[in-house]
Amino acid sequence: MATGRTHRPATRSRGIPEATVARLPLYLRALTALSERSVPTVSSEELATAAGVNSAKLRKDFSYLGSYGTRGVGYDVEYLVYQISRELGLTQDWPVVIVGIGNLGAALANYGGFASRGFRVAALIDADPAMAGKPVAGLPVRHTDELEAIISDNGVSIGVIATPAGAAQQVCDRLVAAGVTSILNFAPTVLSVPEGVDVRKVDLSIELQILAFHEQRKAGEENTPSPVPPRSGAAVRAAAENRKGPDGDVPAVMPA
Amino acid sequence: MATGRTHRPATRSRGIPEATVARLPLYLRALTALSERSVPTVSSEELATAAGVNSAKLRKDFSYLGSYGTRGVGYDVEYLVYQISRELGLTQDWPVVIVGIGNLGAALANYGGFASRGFRVAALIDADPAMAGKPVAGLPVRHTDELEAIISDNGVSIGVIATPAGAAQQVCDRLVAAGVTSILNFAPTVLSVPEGVDVRKVDLSIELQILAFHEQRKAGEENTPSPVPPRSGAAVRAAAENRKGPDGDVPAVMPA
DNA sequence: TCTTGTGAACCGATTCACAGCT
DNA sequence: AGCTGTGAATCGGTTCACAAGA
C-alpha cells in the first residue's frame, strides 16, 4: 500500500482499523439509546454489553478515536455520540439513490433507518417505464434514463443497487461513470469496480447458507457417529470421474 | 472455548475456518454459473476471478475441504458444486420461517434466491391480526400466536426476523424457545441468545454508515489541508463538559 | 509444463493484564 | 477504589513461494 502516510509528529496517526469502523455504528446505536434515556455517562463494560461486544475491544476501538473517556468514571454519552457521528461522517447528510424498485427496493425506500442518521433518499430509479412517476415511499420513481442527471444534480456519491443480478453490473458501471464512489449492493453478483470505489454487499442467500453450514454441524454432533466419513484421494477421484458423490448421484443444485 | 475437540488421528481435522465458510457460497454461485454453461473444469485462477477473490486464497479454502483438484488441470466443476453444496448442508432442505411481514418481510418472501438452494419458506408470520390469512408470495400470513406450533410442526430450525427493532428480541426468544437454533436478523438490534444458537445480522444502516465513513475519508483527502485537527486531552475534556464539539454545538443525532 | 496443495512468513485484529489517571 | 488506555501476547486469516504431482 502506497498511501502518502500523513506524517503527524506525536499525535494519533490517522487510520482506524476496518474492524473498528464496522463496530462504530453499533456503539453509536447503543449510545443513542442511552442518550434518549438521558443517561449521562457509561462505562466501557455497560456500553460493551449493550453493543454486544466485550469491553476490552470497545476500549481499544475508542482509543483509536482519541482519549474520550474519564478514568474512574467512564464515557460521557452525549460527547461520544457526537464524536462517533462525526468520525463516521454523519454530521453531514448523504444523498443516496436506490436503483431497482422491486419488492426489495421499495422496502428499502420505506425503511425508516434510512432517512435518519444523515442519509437522505434523493431518488428512486427503475428501468421499467411503467413504474416511472409512480410514488413509492412518497417519491416518484424515475426512469433509468435520468440516472446520470439525477446523480450529478444531487451530488450523489452513494448508490444502492437492488436490481436483479443480471442488471447489477451495468447499473453499477453507470453509477460509477456518473460519479458514485460508494455502492451498497443487494444483487447476488460480484461487482467489479475501478480502484477508489467502495462496494459493500448484502446477500441474503449467502447468510442463509452460512447458517445452514453451522446448523448441519450442530445436527451432526448429536447423532452421527463420524460427522463426515473421510475420503481417500483415490475414492475422491473415482467419484469425480463418474459424477458421483459419496451418497448417490450428484443432485441438480439450483442456480442462484 | 471448551469445545470437545474431536480427536481425529491423521486425517483432515474437522473445523473449516469461519472466513472460508463465508466464501463457500460465493464459490458455489460462480461454479453454478459455470455448470450452466457446461464448462467441465476450471482453474483456481479463473474461478477466483469469477468469485472476486485471489487464487491463493481460493486454493487454501478448498484445501480445507479436501484435495478436490487435479494438478496441472484444475477443478471439476460438477464435482466441486456437489462437494461444496454438501459441505454447506444444501443437499437437504431447510424450512425457514419469516417473522414480520412488513415491506421487508414481504420482499424477502418474494425473493427467488430463497426458495432455491435448499431453503423453503415454511411460513410467514406477523403480529398484526389484520394480516392473518392474507396471501404474500403465495403463502397465507399466519398470526404470531401460531408461531410455536408452526416451528415444531415443520421442524424449522432457521428463522428470519424482519420485525421492527422493538419486537425483535421477544420474537427471537420465542423462536429459540420453540426450537430454532439459527437466526437471520434484519432488525436493527443486538439480539441476545443462549449458547448454541447462531445469529447473523443484516443491517442496512450499519452498511451505509461504513460507506459514509470511507466516503468522508475520500473527500477529505482531496481538499482538506489537515483531515481532522488533532485535539489535546484538555480541549477534549473541555468540550465534553459544555456539550460542545470542535465545530459548534452537539447536533441532535437521530435515533436508529 | 502447468496447476494444485501447503508450509512458512506475514499481517491485522482480539485478548490479556496492568500501568496510569481521576 | 475504580475504570480507562495501551503495550505485549496471541490468534485467525492472508499471502508468498515452491515442492509435489498430473
Side-chain angles (χ1 to χ4, degrees), chain B residues 195-211:
Chain B
E195 176 84 4
V197 175
D198 276 317
V199 177
R200 294 193 66 89
K201 179 183 29 172
V202 172
D203 194 316
L204 170 59
S205 95
I206 286 180
E207 299 300 325
L208 281 178
Q209 289 174 47
I210 295 170
L211 286 175

Side-chain angles (χ1 to χ4, degrees), chain B residues 106-151:
Chain B
L108 297 177
N110 279 294
Y111 176 54
F114 226 138
S116 67
R117 289 269 178 67
F119 299 99
R120 183 171 48 82
V121 179
L124 307 177
I125 303 177
D126 198 279
D128 181 0
M131 290 285 293
K134 275 196 185 171
V136 170
L139 284 173
V141 174
R142 317 274 296 269
H143 189 263
T144 318
D145 291 345
E146 305 179 75
L147 187 145
E148 286 76 10
I150 294 168
I151 303 281

Side-chain angles (χ1 to χ4, degrees), chain B residues 5-6 20 27 29 40 43 45 64-65 72 81-82 106 114 122 131 188-189 198 208 212-213 224 226 228 230 256:
Chain B
R5 178 164 284 287
T6 331
T20 296
Y27 300 144
R29 184 175 287 155
S43 71
E45 194 62 44
Y64 294 117
L65 308 183
V81 163
Y82 173 66
F114 226 138
M131 290 285 293
T189 336
D198 276 317
L208 281 178
F213 172 86
T224 315
S226 161
V228 174

Side-chain angles (χ1 to χ4, degrees), chain A residues 83-95:
Chain A
Q83 285 302 335
I84 296 179
S85 296
R86 192 171 55 88
E87 197 68 58
L88 284 171
L90 306 181
T91 51
Q92 55 197 286
D93 91 21
W94 297 98

Side-chain angles (χ1 to χ4, degrees), chain B residues 25-114:
Chain B
L26 225 54
Y27 300 144
L28 183 54
R29 184 175 287 155
L31 285 163
T32 303
L34 291 171
S35 171
E36 273 160 17
R37 296 198 284 121
S38 302
V39 177
T41 63
V42 67
S43 71
S44 64
E45 194 62 44
E46 295 165 320
L47 184 53
T49 303
V53 302
N54 73 53
S55 65
K57 196 186 288 187
L58 177 142
R59 287 200 302 280
K60 177 74 85 175
D61 284 341
F62 285 178
S63 80
Y64 294 117
L65 308 183
S67 291
Y68 291 162
T70 305
R71 290 169 203 239
V73 177
Y75 299 92
D76 181 288
V77 172
E78 293 299 323
Y79 183 58
L80 206 42
V81 163
Y82 173 66
Q83 286 303 334
I84 295 179
S85 296
R86 191 171 56 86
E87 198 67 57
L88 285 171
L90 306 181
T91 51
Q92 56 196 285
D93 90 18
W94 298 98
V96 308
V97 294
I98 302 176
V99 186
I101 313 303
N103 283 301
L104 179 60
L108 297 177
N110 279 294
Y111 176 54
F114 226 138

Side-chain angles (χ1 to χ4, degrees), chain A residues 86-148:
Chain A
R86 192 171 55 88
E87 197 68 58
L88 284 171
L90 306 181
T91 51
Q92 55 197 286
D93 91 21
W94 297 98
V96 307
V97 293
I98 302 177
V99 187
I101 314 302
N103 282 301
L104 179 61
L108 297 177
N110 278 293
Y111 176 53
F114 226 137
S116 66
R117 289 269 179 65
F119 300 99
R120 182 171 48 80
V121 179
L124 306 177
I125 303 176
D126 198 279
D128 181 359
M131 291 284 294
K134 275 196 188 173
V136 170
L139 285 173
V141 174
R142 316 273 297 268
H143 189 262
T144 318
D145 291 345
E146 304 181 75
L147 187 144
E148 286 76 11

